[in-house]
Amino acid sequence: MTGFELALWLIPAFFAGALLYATVGHGGASAYLAIMALAGFAPAEMKPVALMLNVVVAGIGTWKYVRAGCFDVRLLGWFALFSLPMAFWGGGLSLPDAWFKPVVGVVLLFAAWRMLSPAMAVHDSQVKRAPLLGIALSGGAMGFLSGLTGVGGGIFLSPLVLLLGWASTRVTSGVAAAFILLNSIAGLAGFLGQGALPQTEALPLWALAVAAGGWLGAEIGSRRIPPAWIRKALALVLAIAGSKLAFL
């Protein structure tokens, strides 16, 4: 099987990843990284592809969540202020191959663990105003990690915001979608400052697949089905992929 034929076989996996992640306001970068890692793609190719696909899905998700009224512009603005410069910096750095997969694996395992937390459900009456210092410290750290690994940062932002009670579940999803979009653009810009785009023939087809999955997932998550059951399914997928990357 040629590389292009293998890439075509991955289209359903990318669609499914975008569908599941967009339901909770995420871009799906950790899923794309896991899919490409399991298929044997080189780390240098994985990060920019994941960021580009993230931009597609997070852009669709942001539009849908904003239209549904699931958004907090103040929270997003402060997070973006501190995260974007760090995402740009992280995007311009490259981890050695020996470190890339373990780091991404740990990121996936962290996401799986937080997805199962019962504290993820926050009601509107429990929401409190986020302190600026907390946003500055967490936003900068999340931005750097998202640019360095190719993950948009939503898997860090969503559990943090929900656990601290800074937004309700659906509003968190909307803020996460926009946060991921901005950080993915910044991380991609940092990468492009260091080199050219990866030459992946199937990239346009992957982009169409994640766009379709992202549109459907964001529609479900922003208006129709509560995301709790989706988080459980994601936790299992992330735990399997993260374990393989981190320990094998």
Side-chain angles (χ1 to χ4, degrees):
M1 182 182 295
T2 67
F4 182 69
E5 289 173 336
L6 173 62
L8 292 179
W9 278 103
L10 298 182
I11 289 175
F14 280 116
F15 171 83
L19 170 63
L20 291 173
Y21 275 74
T23 306
V24 292
H26 292 183
S30 52
Y32 313 142
L33 288 169
I35 291 167
M36 287 185 285
L38 295 172
F41 283 79
E45 188 176 32
M46 289 163 56
K47 185 170 87 168
V49 169
L51 287 170
M52 285 186 280
L53 297 180
N54 236 25
V55 169
V56 174
V57 177
I60 293 171
T62 299
W63 177 65
K64 280 195 167 289
Y65 278 98
V66 169
R67 286 193 63 192
C70 306
F71 201 65
D72 184 334
V73 66
R74 173 192 173 272
L75 193 60
L76 172 66
W78 282 117
F79 267 125
L81 178 65
F82 294 105
S83 70
L84 292 182
M86 299 299 288
F88 181 83
W89 179 32
L93 301 176
S94 296
L95 288 172
D97 288 0
W99 284 92
F100 183 84
K101 288 186 178 181
V103 168
V104 173
V106 170
V107 168
L108 298 180
L109 289 172
F110 173 82
W113 175 57
R114 295 317 304 160
M115 285 288 182
L116 293 175
S117 172
M120 293 285 283
V122 177
H123 300 290
D124 291 336
S125 60
Q126 300 173 302
V127 173
K128 55 189 176 184
R129 191 177 182 86
L132 184 57
L133 179 60
I135 293 177
L137 294 176
S138 59
M142 289 186 292
F144 179 74
L145 285 174
S146 68
L148 182 65
T149 63
V151 173
I155 59 173
F156 302 115
L157 182 142
S158 292
L160 175 71
V161 170
L162 290 173
L163 283 170
L164 296 178
W166 291 348
S168 65
T169 300
R170 289 194 185 278
V171 170
T172 297
S173 294
V175 172
F179 180 78
I180 291 167
L181 174 62
L182 295 175
N183 274 287
S184 296
I185 292 173
L188 187 59
F191 176 84
L192 294 178
Q194 304 299 317
L197 285 171
Q199 300 300 312
T200 303
E201 295 178 86
L203 183 58
L205 298 176
W206 290 351
L208 289 175
V210 300
W215 185 92
L216 182 57
E219 177 67 20
I220 292 172
S222 64
R223 298 180 183 274
R224 302 178 186 279
I225 301 176
W229 68 273
I230 294 291
R231 290 198 300 267
K232 293 178 181 179
L234 284 175
L236 176 61
V237 173
L238 291 173
I240 294 172
S243 297
K244 184 179 187 302
L245 290 172
F247 304 118
L248 298 182

